[in-house]
Amino acid sequence: MIETFESYRQAVGDRDGDTAADLVGPEGLDHYDTLSDVAGSAGPEEFAELPAMDRFVAALFRIAAGPEQAAEMDGHAAYSFGVQEGLVDDSSVAGTEIDTVAVHGDRATAALLVHGQPAPYEFTFQLLDGMWKFDIMPVLRMARASFPQLAEQQGLTEEEFIFRALEAYAGEPVDESLFERP
């Protein structure tokens, strides 16, 4: 799995979306399939049901790909697109090294070093058809949990935080109309 992680980190850094998506586990790709479906066809009701982080990512897909292209993507294509466009960037893996690994059958956990220091979290991997895949879902759950805290640290509601971040990406004002059904 160390080789999988090194290949994944390299692919994300190089914005090689297809290679990165090939190394991601099925649950993560299913999640990106759902987000691309939301970006492609959802209205405000469906967006409102998502955690703030997922609303943000689906809205990014809607801005970056447009609803029509987003609706056509499966999870692999959506993750690949996200890496190619920098929506999935290397900040979550840059400076990260695997320290120790514990294998439990077809699952493994890897203790990490970030810039040489032990990280307070682990990466997980799943063995599928003889190949280790990076399970991104624990990382996404951690990002989901920290999203409200980031908004609060900036003195913003989650929605205000989402719109500011989307505006920074889009380079123009963004409002609730982004969540209207296409």
Side-chain angles (χ1 to χ4, degrees), residues 93-152:
V93 292
T96 303
E97 299 174 46
I98 291 180
D99 186 22
T100 58
V101 174
V103 177
H104 313 280
D106 65 351
R107 306 283 298 171
T109 55
L112 306 171
L113 297 173
V114 177
H115 303 294
Q117 300 299 311
Y121 53 89
E122 299 175 322
F123 283 160
T124 61
F125 297 85
Q126 182 178 9
L127 186 62
L128 295 166
D129 299 324
M131 183 177 172
W132 287 102
K133 300 284 185 164
F134 181 32
D135 182 0
I136 63 169
M137 290 309 295
V139 175
L140 293 177
R141 284 191 277 282
M142 192 170 49
R144 276 186 193 148
S146 66
F147 202 85
Q149 296 165 350
L150 293 171
E152 185 178 319

Side-chain angles (χ1 to χ4, degrees), residues 80-94:
S80 178
F81 177 84
V83 170
Q84 291 167 6
E85 296 296 314
L87 307 179
V88 176
D89 67 14
D90 65 351
S91 64
S92 63
V93 292

